[in-house]
Amino acid sequence: TVMEMSQVYGEGLAAYRSQDWDEARARFEACLQLVPDDSPSTLMLKRVAVLGEKFSGEGWDGVWPEEDN
């Protein structure tokens, strides 16, 4: 449902912003289980993969690095 998707995506976004990469990944993957072709969740999973490698809980200022677009 739309409400469930919205809630799960919001949880993923909160985890992303707090640099909890594992939880963010799990939430965005859950979104894709609900809506397999959800573009925002797919994009966020790609970002989580990049940021999770570069920043392991420190040093990220919340801005998506332009060179990684």
Side-chain angles (χ1 to χ4, degrees):
T1 68
V2 173
M3 293 297 290
E4 185 179 7
M5 176 69 170
S6 177
Q7 179 178 343
V8 174
Y9 188 87
E11 292 166 357
L13 196 54
Y16 174 88
R17 289 178 176 156
S18 66
Q19 301 176 47
D20 184 348
W21 309 123
D22 292 334
E23 181 64 20
R25 182 178 300 107
R27 298 289 89 210
F28 294 128
E29 286 173 350
C31 286
L32 291 176
Q33 289 179 359
L34 294 168
V35 181
D37 62 344
D38 183 58
S39 297
S41 295
T42 301
L43 173 64
M44 295 307 285
L45 278 171
K46 289 178 183 176
R47 289 184 174 191
V48 165
V50 170
L51 293 171
E53 284 186 22
K54 286 187 172 188
F55 305 103
S56 58
E58 302 184 3
W60 184 54
D61 61 5
V63 176
W64 176 248
E66 245 183 82
E67 69 271 9
D68 292 322
N69 283 332

